Amino acid sequence: MTAAALRALHQGPDLPLVLPGPWDAVSAKVFADAGFPALATPSAGVAASLGYEDGRTPADEMFAAIARITHAVDIPVSADVEAGYGLPAKELVARLTDAGAVGCNLEDTDHATGALRDAREQADWLAQVRAEAGDALVINARIDTYLHGAQDLEESVRRGRLYAEAGADCVYPILAPPPLLADLSTGIGLPVNAVVTPDGPSPRELGALGAARVTFGPGLQHRAMAAVAEMAERLREELGAGSGG
């Protein structure tokens, strides 16, 4: 599937675009078979499935996991590749293409320092990614102001506008207060991605508040693992009951 197909879904009549987050090939196939039009891998969910902490997955393993997911389905897949693993734009785009991804998340947290990256430096890098990818990649530029505790709408909009000018297709102000989604979308001028949180609004509600795109981070993987833990506990109890004298 092409980036054009994924890009069109951000403008369609059935917004918000809800993108489940598969963490492996099997979960990707389940979501595709359920009828979702596209998927968005979560870096934290993939990391957990591979036995790593979030942010600790080696680039080679992340791209291999993304490739297994894209090869399991015939719908567009966007890949969360964190801050790009320090790769030059040309190599990053090549590896995403080789893995079969037609979109990507790129965040503005500097993993070396743990702080927000300078917005203009991030915009320059996003522009390099756009130049290398042309129209073959849907770039979802993550804005981490709220993740870092900066409750500053003006700064989030400033960053978003710079990323829009650099060629981003949509922006992802992760953990932004849902009532601000419409203001962020209007101020930045791009579709806004919102994340579903355990105690937050539903995907439909996030759409009503201004989100054009809704993702889940590692939430679906966490729910699946909770179900596995419950099954394991029931099995342990059954085995314990059966071994009584």
Side-chain angles (χ1 to χ4, degrees):
M1 298 296 290
T2 66
L6 178 58
R7 192 173 284 110
L9 290 171
H10 291 73
Q11 308 293 335
D14 298 324
L15 296 178
L17 171 62
V18 177
L19 299 172
W23 53 93
D24 59 15
V26 174
S27 59
K29 185 165 175 48
V30 168
F31 293 130
D33 288 348
F36 288 95
L39 304 173
T41 70
S43 64
V46 173
S49 75
L50 296 174
Y52 294 102
E53 295 180 7
D54 186 22
R56 301 284 183 157
T57 309
D60 288 350
E61 294 198 43
M62 182 61 77
F63 286 109
I66 293 166
R68 288 191 291 271
I69 288 169
T70 65
H71 295 161
V73 299
D74 59 2
I75 57 176
V77 175
S78 180
D80 182 352
V81 288
E82 303 178 83
Y85 307 109
L87 299 172
K90 183 175 183 177
E91 183 177 353
L92 176 64
V93 171
R95 298 193 72 168
L96 283 164
T97 302
D98 290 346
V102 297
C104 67
N105 278 13
L106 290 169
E107 64 196 51
D108 58 4
T109 291
D110 184 337
H111 282 218
T113 65
L116 280 169
R117 190 177 186 190
D118 177 82
R120 291 192 179 277
E121 290 181 2
Q122 178 73 359
D124 288 345
W125 185 65
L126 290 173
Q128 293 173 37
V129 174
R130 171 56 69 209
E132 292 293 341
D135 291 333
L137 198 65
V138 174
I139 299 175
N140 188 30
R142 204 176 90 177
I143 302 168
D144 285 0
T145 46
Y146 295 101
L147 182 67
H148 288 272
Q151 303 296 314
D152 189 337
L153 176 63
E154 183 176 343
E155 174 61 11
S156 299
V157 168
R158 183 183 77 87
R159 286 175 174 267
R161 285 178 175 171
L162 287 171
Y163 304 163
E165 292 170 3
D169 295 280
C170 46
V171 290
Y172 180 14
I174 188 169
L175 299 183
L180 295 183
L181 292 172
D183 289 339
L184 286 161
S185 180
T186 300
I188 295 169
L190 287 179
V192 167
N193 187 140
V195 64
V196 175
T197 58
D199 300 320
S202 69
R204 188 181 299 276
E205 291 168 336
L206 289 169
L209 289 167
R213 164 174 166 152
V214 174
T215 53
F216 298 83
L220 299 177
Q221 193 261 354
H222 289 170
R223 288 168 62 180
M225 292 305 99
V228 171
E230 184 179 342
M231 286 188 288
E233 181 62 21
R234 287 203 305 268
L235 178 60
R236 188 193 66 78
E237 291 173 355
E238 290 170 4
L239 290 172
S243 63

